[in-house]
Amino acid sequence: MTHPARTSRKILPALLVGSALVMVGAGAPSPVEARGPESVADLASGLLGAVVNISTSQSVKEEGEGPLPQVPEGSPFQELFDDFYKNGEQGDSNSKVNSLGSGFVIDPKGFIVTNNHVIENADDIEVIFSDGSKLKAKLIGTDTKTDLSVLKVEPTQPLTAVKFGDSRKLRIGDWVMAIGNPFGLGGSVTLGIVSASGRNINAGPYDNFIQTDAAINKGNSGGPLFNMDGEVIGINTAIISPSGGSIGIGFSVPTELAENIVKQLIEFGETRRGWLGVRIQPVSDEVAESLKIGRARGALISGIVEGGPVAKGPILVGDIVVSFNGRAITETRDLTRMVAESPIGEPLDVVILRDGKEQTVKVTLGLLEDDDVASEDDGSPDQTIEPDEEGEDPGADDQAQQAPDAGEGEQTPPDPAQQAAPVTEGLIGVELAPLDDAQRSSFGIAKGVEGVLITRVLPGSKAEGKGLKPGDVIVEVAQEFMRTPQQVAEKLTKIKSEGRRSGYLMIADKEGNLRLIAVPLE
């Protein structure tokens, strides 16, 4: 009779002798070698020659602070003080400030990519190669919005260069390798994985960073992030660290964004971005429910710039862009980035949601000019395509599309007798009045703004919670233009009776800038 626990196998004791594991029993001892992860030495050795150190110097004007020390005539320290405080009598002096960063060669002819902040305001730029040779570099072009710059050196023979890979193929958990020049000590290699993708760190309007735990330290800025095929899939740009050293959170500009910018800087010396001429805001869950589009997605068009590429259509205020040039829009900043990266002057397919239905329209982008970009210093939008938080007034610098004239639509003109007194809209908690000349003057509402005036917002109401205030104008409810307070009340009541939990309102501020909000009706 046999038992399942009894087999022909023999259980042999194991002894740890030194660093080898020895099985005791029949036959000769068999050592088992310990091995770590697979080496990346062969990969790194072929890439180090293309990664360079970038040294810059900048003249900084210093102003004197108070009187200079007095040294007795003939003192042995007089010459020392004269040298140290030269030009001090004039109160000003110039000194050199040096900085170190990294970069990499993308063309054997001498084109080099780095970060803008590495070379910003530099008077002299010197590139130091892995063999110790040095060459003066010329700045070809820079893009502050993505922190990228292109330099050019004049080598006597072709340089070792690396090529761009496709960062869109990266997956979270893929191995990556960073090479740079941290602390000015020479080429340094670190290994890690992709921790996350599509990170927004508020560095600029086109944030789409790769996050990695490959150590990125001071001096790594501008250096490449490689995949395991030796292709550049990112440019190391920033870290989060209280000490200045790596704590395992580094960020790289992906090549899906960087490659086109680098090509433009080489060809034109500047970037040439597409311009749609719209204002956008996020699609909240309430707006998605109100419009019956299912889950919240896409970018909501809250305004059209007068004279812009789509000022005469086919995109309208209230549309939700869910796909641009064949690429899905998950959140508002996706549209900002895709428009900037798309070709100018060519018809492009845009999928929009209008009246709850998908349709495809053709748009042709214009060129984003400096006049279309407002200063970041004054808090204005950085682009006319700019995420605009719900309830926040768009900047007055952008002219928004105005409401339809009162003569448009199928509704009959209101009875003047019905407009005599304000109407309290109890569902959302506001008092409404017709927007006549007296009210327009009293609230300082710009000419051309049409709709129904909010004269009072009840404390603690749903309207107050959504940021509505006296002087705001209800232009549309559920994409229908409003002319009278009674019409607003009736429309909201009808929406609630249909089982909708929120009302979808287009609101104009005093200057006519538009935003779209969803006010709860429950």
Side-chain angles (χ1 to χ4, degrees):
M1 182 175 180
T2 60
H3 300 277
R6 297 178 181 175
T7 69
S8 59
R9 292 179 298 171
K10 294 182 180 179
I11 300 176
L12 303 178
L15 300 177
L16 185 63
V17 180
S19 60
L21 186 66
V22 180
M23 303 303 295
V24 180
S30 176
V32 179
E33 296 181 2
R35 292 178 60 87
E38 186 176 351
S39 172
V40 294
D42 291 339
L43 177 63
S45 64
L47 302 173
L48 281 166
V51 181
V52 300
N53 170 239
I54 296 175
S55 175
T56 67
S57 62
Q58 176 186 355
S59 295
V60 178
K61 190 175 184 179
E62 296 179 347
E63 296 183 357
E65 298 181 0
L68 297 178
Q70 299 298 314
V71 182
E73 191 70 28
S75 167
F77 299 104
Q78 183 176 3
E79 184 176 349
L80 172 64
F81 272 81
D82 287 344
D83 289 340
F84 189 78
Y85 291 104
K86 64 180 179 179
N87 300 321
E89 294 179 359
Q90 286 74 31
D92 296 329
S93 64
N94 289 327
S95 62
K96 288 284 187 180
V97 175
N98 297 306
S99 65
L100 294 173
S102 301
F104 56 97
V105 181
I106 59 167
D107 189 315
K109 297 178 181 179
F111 286 104
I112 295 170
V113 175
T114 187
N115 281 146
N116 171 65
H117 74 260
V118 170
I119 53 85
E120 190 172 20
N121 299 322
D123 297 318
D124 296 297
I125 305 173
E126 188 175 56
V127 174
I128 305 171
F129 295 86
S130 58
D131 60 2
S133 60
K134 302 178 180 180
L135 289 174
K136 292 290 184 181
K138 174 185 176 182
L139 177 62
I140 298 299
T142 193
D143 179 47
T144 57
K145 291 181 176 60
T146 54
D147 197 18
L148 295 176
S149 294
V150 174
L151 309 176
K152 180 69 167 64
V153 296
E154 300 298 335
T156 56
Q157 57 186 6
L159 300 175
T160 301
V162 290
K163 64 179 182 177
F164 287 123
D166 188 352
S167 61
R168 289 171 294 187
K169 295 180 180 179
L170 278 180
R171 299 182 303 164
I172 295 173
D174 280 348
W175 287 101
V176 287
M177 182 171 61
I179 302 182
N181 183 57
F183 313 115
L185 299 176
S188 178
V189 178
T190 55
L191 191 67
I193 63 169
V194 175
S195 306
S197 60
R199 288 299 202 205
N200 179 11
I201 62 173
N202 296 317
Y206 310 115
D207 280 15
N208 187 32
F209 288 97
I210 299 167
Q211 181 182 323
T212 178
D213 66 355
I216 297 174
N217 293 293
K218 290 181 178 179
N220 268 123
S221 286
L225 186 71
F226 292 100
N227 60 20
M228 292 297 99
D229 293 323
E231 299 170 328
V232 178
I233 44 82
I235 294 91
N236 301 323
T237 298
I239 60 174
I240 292 179
S241 171
S243 64
S246 174
I247 60 170
I249 305 176
F251 300 98
S252 302
V253 179
T255 54
E256 65 179 289
L257 175 62
E259 187 173 10
N260 187 50
I261 290 172
V262 168
K263 288 179 180 177
Q264 290 185 2
L265 292 177
I266 293 174
E267 185 175 357
F268 307 113
E270 62 181 5
T271 53
R272 298 189 175 185
R273 291 189 168 94
W275 180 50
L276 190 57
V278 299
R279 291 193 65 85
I280 58 177
Q281 68 181 59
V283 179
S284 64
D285 291 335
E286 293 90 347
V287 168
E289 190 276 334
S290 178
L291 294 178
K292 296 183 177 180
I293 63 170
R295 63 182 176 84
R297 65 190 191 280
L300 179 61
I301 304 298
S302 60
I304 306 290
V305 178
E306 186 175 330
V310 294
K312 297 181 180 179
I315 292 178
L316 305 176
V317 171
D319 288 345
I320 297 177
V321 181
V322 294
S323 175
F324 190 88
N325 198 22
R327 298 164 67 185
I329 305 293
T330 303
E331 52 186 311
T332 50
R333 64 191 180 95
D334 293 340
L335 180 60
T336 304
R337 188 178 66 254
M338 290 175 190
V339 168
E341 296 171 0
S342 297
I344 299 165
E346 300 178 13
L348 304 174
D349 286 336
V350 179
V351 180
I352 60 173
L353 287 171
R354 182 181 297 168
D355 298 328
K357 298 178 181 179
E358 275 195 7
Q359 55 181 284
T360 301
V361 298
K362 293 278 188 182
V363 302
T364 301
L365 299 179
L367 175 65
L368 181 65
E369 303 285 357
D370 289 340
D371 291 342
D372 301 319
V373 182
S375 170
E376 293 180 347
D377 297 334
D378 61 7
S380 301
D382 185 62
Q383 240 240 59
T384 49
I385 295 181
E386 169 78 1
D388 188 24
E389 294 299 327
E390 186 176 317
E392 186 177 273
D393 288 343
D397 290 339
D398 291 326
Q399 279 191 294
Q401 174 176 298
Q402 301 299 328
D405 292 335
E408 295 180 8
E410 299 178 358
Q411 292 82 1
T412 57
D415 182 353
Q418 294 179 328
Q419 303 184 37
V423 173
T424 299
E425 202 336 278
L427 283 177
I428 62 174
V430 294
E431 285 189 359
L432 305 173
L435 183 56
D436 55 22
D437 291 341
Q439 296 282 21
R440 190 183 299 275
S441 175
S442 176
F443 284 90
I445 297 172
K447 185 178 180 181
V449 177
E450 299 292 344
V452 177
L453 177 67
I454 297 176
T455 58
R456 182 171 175 243
V457 177
L458 303 182
S461 66
K462 298 162 186 174
E464 184 184 54
K466 285 295 183 178
L468 294 177
K469 58 186 182 295
D472 284 343
V473 176
I474 299 177
V475 180
E476 292 182 0
V477 177
Q479 297 182 313
E480 182 179 323
F481 180 65
M482 296 289 106
R483 291 178 172 80
T484 68
Q486 289 81 6
Q487 190 180 0
V488 173
E490 291 169 2
K491 187 67 176 179
L492 289 174
T493 301
K494 181 181 178 183
I495 290 172
K496 184 176 181 181
S497 68
E498 293 172 351
R500 301 194 200 182
R501 293 181 294 177
S502 57
Y504 177 64
L505 279 60
M506 180 189 291
I507 303 296
D509 65 12
K510 296 177 182 180
E511 290 78 27
N513 300 301
L514 302 176
R515 67 184 187 274
L516 297 108
I517 63 172
V519 181
L521 300 177
E522 297 178 326

